[in-house]
Amino acid sequence: LQYSDDFYFDYIIYRCSYGFSTPLSNTVRKVFAFLFLAVPSFFVVVSTVWLLKLARQLTRKRRENLNWQGVITAILVATVFCISIGPSFIYNLISSQFDQGSRAVLYRISDCCLY
């Protein structure tokens, strides 16, 4: 899947990177980005909505008030998770269209968003 000249080492961030110059490796990279970044974000959003819906039904059934602090916490956790994963997902989708130098800059920007 990789050519021997597709591997390079970035001494600024001390990371081994891959060039992904073959069409198959670009496709595999996009599929993995979808599977490991977009699908977990989707499950976090769906499970948060399901949890909030279930909490609302239980509080109505017991005739109690909904704990808004818990609701806001659940929504904020899901939002922060999706926002933090977004730059890495975008990087993995569009990085194959840029040269090696621009790719390193894009990687640093997306990596900074994770911290």
Side-chain angles (χ1 to χ4, degrees):
L1 292 175
Q2 296 289 326
Y3 290 134
S4 61
D5 57 347
D6 274 350
F7 300 99
Y8 62 93
F9 190 79
D10 188 0
Y11 288 102
I12 296 173
I13 56 175
Y14 292 103
R15 186 171 293 206
C16 182
S17 298
Y18 308 102
F20 297 104
S21 64
T22 63
L24 179 61
S25 63
N26 285 330
T27 305
V28 168
R29 183 180 185 146
K30 290 177 183 177
V31 168
F32 282 163
F34 180 75
L35 286 176
F36 295 121
L37 296 172
V39 171
S41 295
F42 173 75
F43 282 127
V44 165
V45 170
V46 168
S47 64
T48 301
V49 170
W50 176 75
L51 180 67
L52 293 175
K53 211 173 186 182
L54 181 66
R56 185 174 178 197
Q57 288 174 355
L58 289 176
T59 56
R60 280 189 176 179
K61 193 180 277 189
R62 295 180 184 173
R63 296 183 181 168
E64 296 176 358
N65 290 331
L66 190 60
N67 184 0
W68 287 104
Q69 186 178 6
V71 169
I72 292 171
T73 302
I75 291 172
L76 283 177
V77 167
T79 304
V80 168
F81 177 77
C82 291
I83 289 172
S84 68
I85 293 298
S88 294
F89 178 66
I90 292 169
Y91 167 77
N92 283 314
L93 287 181
I94 67 170
S95 66
S96 62
Q97 299 170 359
F98 294 98
D99 62 342
Q100 184 176 355
S102 299
R103 195 176 302 139
V105 172
L106 285 173
Y107 175 77
R108 289 187 189 113
I109 291 170
S110 69
D111 202 30
C112 287
C113 292
L114 289 175
Y115 300 110

